[in-house]
Structure formats: structure tokens, C-alpha cells
């Protein structure tokens, strides 16, 4: 692509915040300390998890950078950044979460394959850009379209990012055309994050943001948009990010029996305490995040300080000074909810949190029930053990 290149080595990586926990250096995958996530409703880009499959692409000439839209359309079109910026700009507050978030906890049950994420492969940002539904109108696809007249049913996003899983080819993923052309789905071609130009780690100069869906579908460093008849046949759609039952292992797996994962299930995690924390006996603040896919709100977050025997309801909030109501008009439907509760804890115990979304979906109790060989979608009750210490702590 003119103006954008994918380097073959890691010598020109961007600078990163020193507090990040690095899960792999090449490619660079890192997450912030869990305590950083609940410091603010909107996650600063420095503390937003970094998920990469190869060296970070470099833009050599932003004026020459373009995205090609082609495939099963009447009039293919090359779009430059000035063309995209001329479209109406929207700001969408949306949480992105790697499907492997909390994989390390799942791997303690049985080993799994994948980057060893703790609870911080998630972040909430204000994304700015053009709606994909407006962009697709430029190639003659009206809003709320499920099929093009040429048989197109899916929209494939192709990155300039090259990865070994694709045998050196580009990273790619797709979503249904019906979702792409629905303005209410808020799918963006984003060029801003939190009011600033996207940085290189997060997709500069242009990325896709698909709210409510696992992060693997929000393709960064966009190069091509293809209108296709069937789902993208790339590795990360067909040979990864699928949910299998605990009975499936690497000897009997059949990838074709499962659909690519899209929405993420209801999820929450405690961020104010580490997995084993020493506390001073008395009042303890317990806080964290909760989120659900598909635009579903968070109806309730329950916290237990006795290992799940009894529960107390936590308070929920998004923006300060605005009451949070699940699926309410003033609530950000694609964004996480921060929760908090203060409990009197006098002895060593296990603290547990579970969330319920607006469709009454609830997190499963045991990780064993949802274990899968790729370690994705660990949405089991989140548990942290605390040791009651002495007053000199």
C-alpha cells in the first residue's frame, strides 16, 4: 500500500509506558497493572492493552496512504484519509477486550495455548472516525443492507500487518454486511482515540472498531475492505477464536464445527486487589470493571467476601455525575461499567465478583465448566484471595 509498510523486524517499535506487564516481546503484547484500569472510566492510550501479531507498521507518507474498497460491489473505490475525514465524524465510547483476557487463570485448570493475559487485556476508549455504514455508501451499498446485488454478505478487513499464522500474509477478519451497514451498530473506521490521533500501537493511521465484539475483529492498520460472499477464510476467523467444549483437545479438534466468535459474554474482574493480597483488617474497598458484548448493559455486580456464600451488591457507574442505568439513554451501551463496594473484612478469605447483564446473562461459577484449549472467554466468577495482616501494614 502506498504510504504504509510492515517492517520485517522489531527495530522500529514505538515507545511504551514502563509500567506495562510484557507478555511477549516479539510480537509485543502487554497489559497494564490491573489497578490502573479503575483509575478512570476512559483508559489512557498508554495503559490500553497492546495486542500485536508482528512488527508495528510504519506510515511513510500519510498523504499517499489509502484504503481500497472492492469485491462484490458495483464501483470499487480507493479512499484517502482526506476522503474519510470529509464524512461525518462520530465519537463512540467502546470497550475492546481480547478474547484471551484472563487466560492465565484458565490455564491453571489445564494448560492452554496463547498469550498469558491476566485481567487487563481490556480497555475503554472514545474512538473517533467515520461510520462504516457511511463509507460503504460511497461504493453504492445502502444502509441496512444484508446482501449486495452481486452476492456480498460479509465485509472483510485486511491489515498491512503481516503475521506468521497467515504464513507471512496479512492479518484479516470479517463481520456480517448487515452489521457493517447498520448505523446503530456504530462500526467505525477510526482515526482518533481519546480525542487524539491514533498512535502506532493502536492502528495509526486508520483502524476498524467493532463495538461489542471480541477485539480480534477490530482490525488495525487497515489496508483493504473487501465485500465477500462468505466469512473471511483467514486463520484468525477459521482456525482460532472459536469456543469449544472442555472435551475437545488438539487431537480431536475440528475447526469447521464452530462459528467464529463475535460478541463477548458478560464479564467482570476485581482490579483493586491482586490475586493474593495482604490487607489490614477492617474496611476494604473492592472495585473493578464489568462489561458485556452486543451492547448489553450491566444490570448488577455482586461481590462476596466469604468465598461465594453470601453476596452484597456493588454500586455501578460510568461517567461521573450521570446515573448509570443499564440500557439507559444516557449510558454508553458499548462501554464497560466500573463497580465499587466497601466491605468489612477481619480475616483471610476469598473475595468473589460476578456480573449480570441486561439480558439476565450471568457469569459461570467455575472455570472448569468453560475451559477450552485456546483459553478464550474466561468469564468465570473472578476470585482473589486476601490475607488479613497486622496494623503495621
Amino acid at each position: 500500500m502506498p504510504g504504509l509498510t510492515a517492517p520485517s523486524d522489531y527495530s522500529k517499535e514505538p515507545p511504551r509506558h514502563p509500567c506495562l506487564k510484557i507478555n511477549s516481546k516479539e510480537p509485543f503484547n502487554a497489559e497494564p497493572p490491573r489497578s490502573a484500569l479503575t483509575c478512570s472510566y476512559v483508559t489512557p492510550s498508554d495503559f490500553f492493552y497492546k495486542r500485536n501479531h508482528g512488527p508495528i507498521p510504519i506510515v511513510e507518507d500519510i498523504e499517499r496512504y489509502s484504503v481500497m474498497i472492492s469485491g462484490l460491489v458495483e464501483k470499487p473505490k480507493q479512499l484517502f484519509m482526506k476522503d474519510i475525514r470529509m464524512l461525518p465524524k462520530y465519537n463512540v465510547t467502546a470497550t475492546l477486550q481480547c478474547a484471551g483476557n484472563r487466560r492465565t487463570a484458565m490455564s491453571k485448570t489445564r494448560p492452554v495455548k496463547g498469550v498469558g493475559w491476566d485481567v487487563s487485556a481490556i480497555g475503554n476508549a472514545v474512538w473517533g472516525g467515520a461510520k462504516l455504514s457511511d463509507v460503504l455508501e460511497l461504493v453504492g451499498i445502502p444502509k441496512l443492507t444484508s446482501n449486495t446485488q452481486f452476492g456480498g454478505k460479509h465485509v472483510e478487513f485486511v491489515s498491512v500487518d503481516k503475521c506468521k499464522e497467515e504464513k507471512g500474509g496479512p492479518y484479516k477478519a470479517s463481520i456480517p454486511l448487515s452489521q457493517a451497514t447498520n448505523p446503530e451498530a456504530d462500526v467505525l473506521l477510526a482515526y482518533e482515540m481519546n480525542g487524539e490521533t491514533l498512535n502506532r500501537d493502536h492502528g495509526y493511521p486508520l483502524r476498524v472498531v467493532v463495538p461489542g465484539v471480541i477485539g480480534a475483529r477490530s482490525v488495525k492498520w487497515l489496508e483493504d475492505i473487501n465485500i465477500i460472499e462468505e466469512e473471511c477464510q483467514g486463520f484468525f476467523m477459521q482456525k482460532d477464536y472459536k469456543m469449544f467444549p472442555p472435551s475437545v483437545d488438539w487431537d480431536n479438534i475440528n475447526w469447521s464445527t464452530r462459528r467464529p466468535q463475535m460478541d463477548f459474554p458478560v464479564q467482570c474482574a476485581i482490579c483493586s486487589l491482586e490475586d493474593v493480597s495482604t490487607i489490614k483488617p477492617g474496611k476494604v474497598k473492592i472495585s473493578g470493571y464489568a462489561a458485556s458484548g452486543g451492547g448489553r448493559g450491566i444490570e448488577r455486580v455482586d461481590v462476596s467476601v466469604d468465598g461465594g456464600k453470601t453476596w452484597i451488591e456493588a454500586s455501578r457507574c460510568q461517567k461521573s455525575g450521570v446515573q448509570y442505568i443499564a440500557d439507559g439513554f444516557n449510558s454508553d451501551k458499548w462501554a464497560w461499567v466500573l463497580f465499587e463496594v466497601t466491605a468489612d473484612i477481619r480475616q483471610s478469605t476469598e473475595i468473589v465478583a460476578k456480573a449480570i447483564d441486561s439480558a439476565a446473562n450471568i457469569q459461570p461459577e467455575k472455570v472448569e465448566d468453560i475451559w477450552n484449549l485456546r483459553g478464550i472467554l474466561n468469564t468465570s466468577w473472578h476470585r482473589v484471595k486476601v490475607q488479613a495482616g497486622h496494623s503495621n501494614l
Side-chain angles (χ1 to χ4, degrees), residues 22 27 48 52 86 98 139 152 199-200 208 211 245 250 260 271 277 279 308 339 361-362 371 374 377 381 388:
I22 299 173
F48 208 97
N52 299 300
M86 285 177 63
C98 178
V139 292
N199 67 28
R200 284 180 58 206
V208 184
W250 293 106
C271 296
S277 291
I279 60 165
F339 70 86
N361 298 308
I362 190 167
W371 183 94
R374 272 293 281 118
L377 306 183
W381 295 1

Side-chain angles (χ1 to χ4, degrees), residues 204-234:
Y204 176 80
L206 195 68
R207 69 169 300 165
V208 184
V209 174
V210 187
V213 166
I214 64 168
R217 313 309 176 209
S218 289
V219 174
K220 296 185 283 187
W221 312 295
L222 189 61
E223 180 170 33
D224 292 298
I225 297 174
N226 300 321
I227 311 304
I228 55 180
E229 183 177 1
E230 297 181 345
E231 288 169 339
C232 167
Q233 296 300 300

Side-chain angles (χ1 to χ4, degrees), residues 276-346:
V276 179
S277 291
T278 302
I279 60 165
K280 180 179 178 180
K283 301 290 186 183
V284 176
K285 186 178 86 167
I286 303 159
S287 61
Y289 65 77
S292 192
R296 294 177 292 276
I298 298 298
E299 191 62 39
R300 207 171 78 233
V301 178
D302 294 336
V303 174
S304 172
V305 295
D306 56 14
K309 297 186 183 76
T310 61
W311 301 88
I312 47 180
E313 185 176 352
S315 64
R316 296 158 296 137
C317 73
Q318 285 186 331
K319 297 159 283 191
S320 60
V322 180
Q323 182 184 9
Y324 174 75
I325 301 171
D327 297 346
F329 179 75
N330 290 319
S331 300
D332 292 330
K333 69 177 181 176
W334 305 115
W336 67 12
V337 172
L338 301 181
F339 70 86
E340 182 178 317
V341 68
T342 300
D344 192 28
I345 302 176
R346 298 289 171 177

Side-chain angles (χ1 to χ4, degrees), residues 97-303:
Q97 178 176 205
C98 178
N101 194 27
R102 298 180 58 199
R103 181 178 281 130
T104 51
M106 186 174 277
S107 66
K108 292 175 183 176
T109 297
R110 282 159 59 193
V112 298
K113 286 187 180 180
V115 177
W117 300 106
D118 186 41
V119 304
S120 301
I122 188 172
N124 187 51
V126 181
W127 309 96
K131 284 198 178 182
L132 183 56
S133 57
D134 289 342
V135 173
L136 293 178
E137 283 191 318
L138 299 178
V139 292
I141 302 176
K143 290 182 171 65
L144 304 176
T145 297
S146 299
N147 301 275
T148 70
Q149 58 181 318
F150 305 102
K153 297 178 183 176
H154 297 267
V155 180
E156 180 183 63
F157 310 113
V158 182
S159 175
V160 73
D161 181 25
K162 303 297 191 290
C163 47
K164 69 178 188 300
E165 293 89 349
E166 294 284 5
K167 298 183 173 61
Y171 184 95
K172 51 190 174 182
S174 68
I175 62 173
L177 183 65
S178 57
Q179 182 178 13
T181 59
N182 182 0
E184 297 298 312
D186 290 329
V187 181
L188 291 184
L189 296 192
Y191 44 79
E192 286 184 2
M193 180 181 183
N194 298 337
E196 298 179 344
T197 301
L198 279 176
N199 67 28
R200 284 180 58 206
D201 262 325
H202 296 295
Y204 176 80
L206 195 68
R207 69 169 300 165
V208 184
V209 174
V210 187
V213 166
I214 64 168
R217 313 309 176 209
S218 289
V219 174
K220 296 185 283 187
W221 312 295
L222 189 61
E223 180 170 33
D224 292 298
I225 297 174
N226 300 321
I227 311 304
I228 55 180
E229 183 177 1
E230 297 181 345
E231 288 169 339
C232 167
Q233 296 300 300
F235 178 90
F236 294 98
M237 288 289 288
Q238 302 302 328
K239 297 291 182 70
D240 202 356
Y241 298 125
K242 293 184 177 184
M243 188 69 166
F244 285 89
S247 59
V248 172
D249 59 31
W250 293 106
D251 294 325
N252 63 15
I253 189 169
N254 182 349
W255 289 102
S256 66
T257 62
R258 294 290 183 274
R259 297 289 303 278
Q261 185 65 38
M262 299 303 281
D263 286 11
F264 57 80
V266 62
Q267 165 81 289
C268 80
I270 297 165
C271 296
S272 55
L273 299 163
E274 295 297 323
D275 285 331
V276 179
S277 291
T278 302
I279 60 165
K280 180 179 178 180
K283 301 290 186 183
V284 176
K285 186 178 86 167
I286 303 159
S287 61
Y289 65 77
S292 192
R296 294 177 292 276
I298 298 298
E299 191 62 39
R300 207 171 78 233
V301 178
D302 294 336
V303 174

Side-chain angles (χ1 to χ4, degrees), residues 58-134:
I58 299 171
V59 175
E60 297 171 328
D61 185 351
I62 190 64
E63 298 298 323
R64 294 173 60 225
Y65 168 80
S66 65
V67 173
M68 188 69 194
I69 308 177
S70 58
L72 300 174
V73 293
E74 183 177 2
K75 44 182 181 181
K77 191 173 182 65
Q78 183 180 21
L79 288 180
F80 292 88
M81 282 302 297
K82 59 180 173 49
D83 302 317
I84 295 166
R85 287 181 175 275
M86 285 177 63
L87 293 169
K89 180 190 171 189
Y90 292 87
N91 288 315
V92 176
T93 305
T95 295
L96 293 187
Q97 178 176 205
C98 178
N101 194 27
R102 298 180 58 199
R103 181 178 281 130
T104 51
M106 186 174 277
S107 66
K108 292 175 183 176
T109 297
R110 282 159 59 193
V112 298
K113 286 187 180 180
V115 177
W117 300 106
D118 186 41
V119 304
S120 301
I122 188 172
N124 187 51
V126 181
W127 309 96
K131 284 198 178 182
L132 183 56
S133 57
D134 289 342

